[in-house]
Amino acid sequence: MIETYIQHQCYHSTPGYYKQRMTKEEMKVTTMLKEGNLQEYVIKQPIRKRIPVVEVWKNITIKELANCANRNVKDIMNVLNMLGIARYTNPNSILVNSNLVCDILKRLGYKTKTIPRPGMKVEEEVKYKNIVRSPPADESVLVKRHPVVTIMGHVDHGKTTLLDSLRNTSVVDTEFGGITQHIGAFDVTLKTGERVTFLDTPGHAAFTAMRYRGAHATDIVVLVVAADDGVKEQTLQSIEMARDAKVPIIVAINKIDKPAADIKRTQQMLAEHGIVVEDLGGDVQSVNISALKGSNLQTLTEAIALQAEIMNLKGDPVGLVEAVAIECANHTGRGKLVTALIKRGTLKKGCLLVSGLAWAKVRNMFNETGRTVLEAKPSEAVQIIGWRELPPVGAEILEAQNEQELHSALNYRESMRNESMAKEHHDAANKKYEEHLLEYKRQLHLKWTLGRFHPKYKTLKTSTRVKKEEKKCLEVNCIIKGDVAGSVEAILNIFDTYTEDNLCKLNVVHYGVGAVTESDVELAETFNAIIYRFNVNISRGIEDDATKKEVRIRNYNVIYKLVDDVKQEINNILPEVDVEEVLGKARVLQEFQINDKKKKVKVAGCRCTKGVLEKSEMFHVIRGNQIIYTGRVVSMRHLKDEVLRIEESVECGLQLDDPTLIFQPGDTLVCFTLRKMPQTINWDPGF
C-alpha cells in the first residue's frame, strides 16, 4: 500500500499537474510523505468492509428471506416491529412489497439483488405474434368451387392461342416476340356454363420459376404438346412440376391441323416419360385439338369439367382470407398492384392483408379486364391495390383481423428477419476470423521455423503489409427495371447463371418493378451502370436527364434479346487475346554440331512438312505431344545459305536461341505467329 501512495505521489509530482486539482486527502498524503509519516498514516486508516449482497425474489416469504440472509426469523420480525408493521406474525407470510424487503435487509446491513424464484422456469415474454393459416374449416361451411387450371408446356406450342380461343380474345397478338413472358390469370365462363380460372404460364426456358408457381397454385394442369414438335425440354419440366405439386394432368395435343403433325408419335413420346394417355391404355385424359382453328375445344372443356367433378373441389368462403401472389406490378395509374389467387375466405374492400413484410388495406379490386370487383371468393383471381410495398411473387397472403394484429405480425416477421441476418453476419464474421487465424498461425509457424530475420519471412511479412497493385478487374454494372416482378425475377435468375467472373464481373446494382425513375439515373451515373428497362416506359424528362449525364438506357421487350445485349456488352470490354496461327511444321531428321565463332552449337536438321517456316516468327519444339520449348530461330539455312523462309518439302538447318536444347530425331517444330483476336465469354444461360 505504501508503494501505491509513492506511485500516486510520483504521478502528482510530474510537471504539468495542477496542485489545485488535488483533494484534501491527497494534500495530506503528500505532506505526510515529505515528513516521513506515511507508514503511520496507512496504519491509522480504517479498513472498509464490503457490504454483503442478499439475493431475493418477488413474493418472498419471511422464512425464505431469513434463510437467504442467514439470519433468524426473529431478526426479520424485530425489524418489522421496528418499522411499525405488526401484521406479519406467520413466518410463511409473503412480503409483497419489494421496497419493504429492501428496507429490512438495509437495516440488517445487507444490499439487495432481485433474481427469479429458484427452480422457476423463466419464460421469455412474447412481444409480437405472427399471423398463420387458420385450422382446416368444418365440412359444414365448405361449398363447391370452380377449378383453377394452369396451362403449361414448351415455348411456341400454342398455350396462349388455346387460352385466346377459350376466351374469344387475342392476347397472343399483344405479346412481344410471340412468346408469353409473364404469368396471367383469367376467369373464364365456358360455353357449357362452367366457370374456370386459367393460369397462363410462359414456356420459355428463362421462366422456370413462373411455371413452378403456376403448377403449385392450381388444381389441374393442361399440358399442351405440339403434334408436329413432340415432347421438348420444357414439356418434361412441366411434367415434373405437376408431379411435384401432385395435381392431375390433362394432355392437349395441339396443332393437329399441320402437315407434319404426328399424334401417335407424340403419345409414344409422352408414354416414354410416364404420361400414358387413354388411347394407349393409360389413365391420363388426352384431347387432340387445334387451338388456332378451334377444333375439339368443346371436348377439352368437357374433360376439364369431368376432372373437376371427380375431384369434388370445395372451398371455405367464410374464414379469414388466404391467397397466393401470382404476379406483382407497379401500375402507372393505380400504383402497386398484386394479382392474387384466393384460396380461402372472401376478400372484400377494406380487408387487411399481410404477405411477408408487405401489407395492404384493400382499396379496390379488379378482374383481368380492369373492371371493379366487389368481392373475390375461393378460386377467383383478382388484382388488388392498396399495398404499401410489393410482396414477393409466389408468397402467401393472409388476412389480419385488425390493425393491432397486423402490425404485431409485421414486427414479429421483421424481428425474425433481423435475427436471421444477424446470424448470417455472425457466421460470415466467424469464417473471416478463422481464415485470418489460419494465416496468422501459418506466419507464426514460419517465423518460429526460419527465424524473424530470415529473408523469406521478411519478404512474407512485407507482402502482407504492403498490398501490391492489383490488376484492374473488368466489370459490367446493370440496373434492371421490369413491368412485373416475375419478369425481373426471371432476368435475375438468368444473371445467376453467369460464371465468367474471372474475365469480367456482372453486377446488378439495383433492380425493381416499375418505370425508370430519377434515382435510377443517379445510381447509374454513380456506378457507371447500364439501365435495362423491360417492358416499362420512361418519361421525356428522365430520358433527357440520362442523356445529359451520359447514362445508357436500353429498352427490351423480349428477354433473350436483353441477355444477348448483356453478352455483347461484356465481350466489347474484354481485352484482345493472342491467338497462335500455325504457319508451318517441320520434322527433325538429325541433330548436328557446328562451329560458330569457335563455339560448338546444336543445329536441327529438318524437313518442312507443311506450310512455310518464317525466320522472324516463333517456334514450338514438340516431343511426344508435349511442348518442351518455345522461342525464336537464331539461324535458318538452306544448304550453306542463310534464308528467311523455307517452303514445304525443303530441308533446312535451324539453330534456336537456347544453346542447351538437345534435339532428337522425330521432334516436331511448329512455326506460328501471334495475332490479336477479340475475346468472348462462354456464358450459357440455358436457352
Side-chain angles (χ1 to χ4, degrees), residues 160 171 174-176 179-186 199-203 207 210 213 326-327 483-487 534-535:
T160 306
V171 174
T174 65
E175 292 177 336
F176 299 103
I179 61 172
T180 302
Q181 298 184 104
H182 58 83
I183 192 168
F186 308 95
L199 300 181
D200 184 19
T201 61
F207 300 96
M210 289 190 188
R213 287 196 298 276
I326 298 297
E327 195 56 273
D483 54 345
V484 294
S487 298
F534 189 78
N535 286 337

Side-chain angles (χ1 to χ4, degrees), residues 525-544:
E525 182 187 21
T526 303
F527 289 94
N528 189 26
I530 305 170
I531 299 177
Y532 287 100
R533 55 189 186 98
F534 189 78
N535 286 337
V536 294
N537 299 322
I538 182 172
S539 66
R540 182 72 177 178
I542 293 177
E543 193 170 9
D544 293 341

Side-chain angles (χ1 to χ4, degrees), residues 578-595:
D578 292 329
V579 178
E580 295 182 2
E581 181 182 347
V582 177
L583 301 177
K585 294 183 179 180
R587 185 177 183 82
V588 177
L589 303 176
Q590 187 177 353
E591 181 187 75
F592 299 95
Q593 287 191 359
I594 62 174
N595 293 323

Side-chain angles (χ1 to χ4, degrees), residues 477-496:
N477 297 327
C478 303
I479 294 177
I480 309 297
K481 296 304 290 285
D483 54 345
V484 294
S487 298
V488 176
E489 178 193 38
I491 295 171
L492 295 178
N493 288 339
I494 292 172
F495 282 10
D496 285 341

Side-chain angles (χ1 to χ4, degrees), residues 49 97 110 145 200 216 227 267 270 287 321-322 333 348 387 417 443 467 501 511 595 645 665 681 686:
K49 293 183 178 180
N97 192 343
Y110 300 102
R145 63 176 178 85
D200 184 19
H216 284 72
Q267 291 176 344
L270 288 169
V287 183
V321 174
E322 296 176 8
K348 298 179 180 179
W387 292 88
R417 184 194 65 175
Q443 292 189 24
K467 290 185 178 180
D501 286 337
Y511 63 89
N595 293 323
R645 180 187 180 97
I681 56 171

